[in-house]
Amino acid sequence: MAGFLKRLVPKKFRKEGIVIPVVRLHGAIMASGSQLRPALNLATAAPALEKAFAYKDAPAVAISINSPGGSPVQSRLIFQRIRDLATEKNKHVLVFVEDVAASGGYMIALAGDEIFADPTSIVGSIGVVSGGFGFPEMLKKIGVERRVYTAGSNKAILDPFQPEREEEIEYLKSLQLEIHQVFIDMVKARRGTRLVDDPDLFSGLFWTGGRGRALGLVDGLSDMRTELKRRYGPKTRLELVSTPKGLFGRRSPGIGGLSADVAERIGSAGVAAVAGLAEEKALWGRFGLSG
């Protein structure tokens, strides 16, 4: 329909130049967010991706990534959706890194047929990390006894209120190694011979965009606008594709204020929102950045 309507417009009034749809994938990657701070995951990314790859005349889809990582599952799901759509719609995928594409952020970036970064971007961190806190000594000091009843000897594994056991740590590490290997295989499959043989490549270290290019993690150092106009011509137009959102992650026409039920939802989500914000800031903080 859009193409038909376009042909009805006199040629002198038509916009010239190729249109490249742009999708922004920004933020920490989490399976679920909060009403006040949405997370990057497949559910939030899919609508914009579907719309971008539906541009019939566009030779490529440009994706802007700015993420310190997070959930490996959601990272891989977003990666896979991009590759599936690229194959289905026969589109070239160009990924552009802004501040950071590390860990899960870099896993998503692997969906690009080509990856570009700023010389000062942060890329890499190809590894897996788990973290938490232990409180058994604190419970003793305040006179609290932890009581746990399970059916299954490992049901309470890694309970933060009980002392760590060596076998539990080893089990967690075995899971990390499995996930790490999946990540490594993805990097090798997507980057292939562009990778440099470096012992630190899969160690979890991260680098600037310039060093990332030397290691084969990115293909070039450029910004989106410059690269797309160089490739497709000076009249190339970039069109941001997004899902319109209201206060709670969905369009809410006619909102003039907060109703009582909305205020209640904000209050009930407060604790979870604070915890999610702390987790997100910790992810950004690993790279000297704040979300």
Side-chain angles (χ1 to χ4, degrees):
M1 178 61 73
F4 172 74
L5 294 175
K6 183 178 180 181
R7 288 193 295 272
L8 296 179
V9 178
K11 189 173 182 180
K12 63 179 180 179
F13 295 116
R14 298 179 194 171
K15 292 183 178 179
E16 297 182 355
I18 293 174
V19 175
I20 302 295
V22 177
V23 177
R24 301 178 77 242
L25 299 179
H26 289 198
I29 306 164
M30 302 179 184
S32 62
S34 70
Q35 295 169 332
L36 301 179
R37 200 170 184 85
L40 174 58
N41 52 47
L42 181 62
T44 58
L49 291 172
E50 297 281 350
K51 288 173 63 176
F53 279 94
Y55 276 57
K56 186 176 180 181
D57 297 327
V61 171
I63 298 177
S64 166
I65 294 181
N66 194 11
S67 175
S71 165
V73 175
Q74 294 299 320
S75 302
R76 193 173 187 284
L77 287 174
I78 295 172
F79 161 88
Q80 193 60 55
R81 181 62 57 88
I82 295 171
R83 291 315 311 160
D84 288 346
L85 288 168
T87 300
E88 177 186 337
K89 304 295 184 179
N90 192 29
K91 302 290 186 186
H92 196 69
V93 180
L94 299 169
V95 165
F96 295 86
V97 179
E98 293 195 5
D99 295 270
V100 57
S103 194
Y106 185 72
M107 183 182 286
I108 295 175
L110 291 172
D113 296 297
E114 297 175 72
I115 303 173
F116 296 88
D118 187 87
T120 59
S121 297
I122 298 296
V123 298
S125 190
I126 302 168
V128 181
V129 62
S130 300
F133 299 92
F135 305 101
E137 295 303 317
M138 182 188 73
L139 294 184
K140 291 180 182 179
K141 289 181 179 180
I142 63 176
V144 175
E145 180 183 359
R146 171 70 164 166
R147 296 174 180 176
V148 179
Y149 310 98
T150 69
S153 59
N154 291 308
K155 189 62 178 177
I157 189 173
L158 298 173
D159 186 325
F161 295 100
Q162 296 182 10
E164 282 188 310
R165 295 188 298 169
E166 188 62 34
E167 59 268 29
E168 294 179 348
I169 299 172
E170 291 302 315
Y171 181 73
L172 175 61
K173 288 183 177 180
S174 71
L175 298 182
Q176 291 178 321
L177 288 174
E178 286 186 48
I179 299 171
H180 191 199
Q181 190 58 55
V182 170
F183 198 172
I184 292 171
D185 291 343
M186 290 175 65
V187 176
K188 290 181 176 180
R190 293 295 299 165
R191 300 303 298 170
T193 57
R194 289 173 285 190
L195 293 173
V196 170
D197 185 12
D198 188 295
D200 291 328
L201 197 60
F202 304 121
S203 70
L205 282 179
F206 48 90
W207 300 273
T208 63
R211 178 59 179 155
R213 183 187 184 189
L215 291 169
L217 297 176
V218 302
D219 297 286
L221 304 177
S222 184
D223 65 276
M224 182 183 292
R225 185 176 183 277
T226 299
E227 179 60 26
L228 293 180
K229 286 184 176 290
R230 181 197 69 79
R231 184 171 301 222
Y232 299 110
K235 292 185 178 180
T236 299
R237 291 184 290 119
L238 283 62
E239 191 164 298
L240 181 63
V241 179
S242 60
T243 304
K245 294 180 179 180
L247 181 61
F248 298 106
R250 61 185 65 179
R251 179 174 289 280
S252 303
I255 290 181
L258 294 180
S259 63
D261 65 315
V262 169
E264 183 179 351
R265 288 163 66 192
I266 293 177
S268 64
V271 175
V274 171
L277 178 60
E279 183 180 356
E280 183 175 349
K281 284 190 172 295
L283 285 169
W284 287 105
R286 291 185 58 224
F287 307 101
L289 304 167
S290 59

